[in-house]
Amino acid sequence: MRVTPILCLRDNYAYLVQPNAGPEALIVDPSEAAPVLRAVRDAGPRIAAVLCTHHHWDHVGGVEELCARAGPIGVYGHSSERSRLPGLNQPLDDGSVFEAAGLSVTALHVPGHTRGSVAYRIEDAVFTGDTLFVAGCGRLFEGTATDMHSSLGRLASLPDQTLVYPGHEYTLNNLQFAAKLEPDNQRIRAKLDRVAEQRRRGKPTVPSSMGEERLTNPFLRVRENPIVRSVSGSLGPDPDDVAVFASVRAAKDRFQ
Ligand code: ZN
Ligand code: FE
């Protein structure tokens, strides 16, 4: 399988996902049609399906135009997004498994950023939309801290080598925040240096791996002492994981 990130809008990633053999490919989160159509033209496959992680316009803005060009294709998303996801014709629930472009795809319902957010697992990759970013997580627009904490916990239970493909290029800012919470974490420091250099050269910082996320992403590390200490002033002794998570999320909302 080959995954090609397609930069859309300012900092969104759509993805072109191609099996090792065969004429078809999948598109994840087409924010806009033009850059996706360019990438498809360059690579040569036929679009077999569109996978949508959630209904926000910066993830699905190109769905209708892609469908108009590609003909009748499957547009996948969570069943609860039916009324607000343009073109959705393959509603999914948690654990739904389907075949598209010759690839087996598993849907994980991961509410928190939106009620109907979905992550897609394909082979050793997971497409996480605005739920899990490299070194960060999405804002709580429609869900609670409890929802997001448990959704991230499910993603974090995927094997270490799982490649993480998020919906945005937010890595540098996320790692600056992570380094502030855990100034002595050498892995965060090293990754921050590496990512700063990648961004200077205009390179994408995706994918990450789940193993690396568990070691560097503050939202997957709310049981670690430095993270607990960084927010405990406001929480009192022995805060529970969700309370720590909610505090870290609120601190990130204020961080620039
Ligand atoms: Zn979003
Ligand atoms: Fe987004």
Side-chain angles (χ1 to χ4, degrees), residues 12 54 58-59 130 168:
N12 275 82
H54 65 296
D58 64 313
H59 297 258
D130 289 358
H168 287 269

Side-chain angles (χ1 to χ4, degrees), residues 171-206:
T171 309
L172 184 57
N173 178 267
N174 286 343
L175 282 169
Q176 285 163 343
F177 177 70
K180 198 180 136 199
L181 295 191
E182 290 190 81
D184 298 327
N185 184 323
Q186 295 311 316
R187 286 197 178 87
I188 291 175
R189 292 251 146 238
K191 187 160 181 173
L192 181 54
D193 289 345
R194 193 165 77 241
V195 158
E197 178 57 25
Q198 283 173 311
R199 294 312 293 151
R200 263 195 295 278
R201 292 189 287 122
K203 295 266 191 286
T205 64
V206 295

Side-chain angles (χ1 to χ4, degrees), residues 31-255:
S31 319
E32 49 178 347
V36 172
L37 289 166
R38 265 198 304 278
V40 170
R41 196 185 54 218
D42 293 348
R46 194 178 81 72
I47 301 176
V50 175
L51 314 187
C52 305
T53 61
H54 65 296
H55 69 90
H56 285 160
W57 69 275
D58 64 313
H59 297 258
V60 300
V63 170
E64 284 174 314
E65 193 179 336
L66 281 191
C67 290
R69 306 274 187 122
I73 56 172
V75 177
Y76 293 82
H78 193 257
S79 53
S80 68
E81 308 254 276
R82 222 184 297 235
S83 62
R84 48 186 192 171
L85 211 160
L88 175 63
N89 55 26
Q90 300 289 330
L92 301 168
D93 290 302
D94 186 41
S96 297
V97 179
F98 57 96
E99 292 269 334
L103 294 164
S104 173
V105 183
T106 304
L108 297 171
H109 182 210
V110 283
H113 179 66
T114 64
R115 278 190 302 280
S117 287
V118 171
Y120 294 98
R121 237 200 126 180
I122 310 177
E123 297 185 354
D124 64 349
V126 63
F127 297 87
T128 56
D130 289 358
T131 300
L132 177 66
F133 296 128
V134 180
C137 78
R139 286 178 187 257
L140 305 178
F141 284 128
E142 298 175 10
T144 62
T146 305
D147 295 332
M148 186 60 122
H149 177 256
S150 90
S151 292
L152 292 173
R154 289 187 69 197
L155 293 173
S157 71
L158 295 173
D160 276 353
Q161 69 275 15
T162 308
L163 296 171
V164 177
Y165 291 93
H168 287 269
E169 179 58 66
Y170 290 160
T171 309
L172 184 57
N173 178 267
N174 286 343
L175 282 169
Q176 285 163 343
F177 177 70
K180 198 180 136 199
L181 295 191
E182 290 190 81
D184 298 327
N185 184 323
Q186 295 311 316
R187 286 197 178 87
I188 291 175
R189 292 251 146 238
K191 187 160 181 173
L192 181 54
D193 289 345
R194 193 165 77 241
V195 158
E197 178 57 25
Q198 283 173 311
R199 294 312 293 151
R200 263 195 295 278
R201 292 189 287 122
K203 295 266 191 286
T205 64
V206 295
S208 181
S209 71
M210 203 57 80
E212 206 168 304
E213 288 310 299
R214 269 199 292 275
L215 294 169
T216 55
N217 188 324
F219 297 98
L220 305 185
R221 297 174 57 73
V222 298
R223 309 187 114 179
E224 302 296 323
N225 283 328
I227 304 272
V228 177
R229 259 185 272 118
S230 76
V231 295
S232 63
S234 53
L235 294 178
D238 265 340
D240 69 34
D241 294 353
V242 173
V244 174
F245 173 82
S247 267
V248 174
R249 186 55 261 177
K252 180 64 172 69
D253 290 347
R254 295 188 300 268
F255 179 80

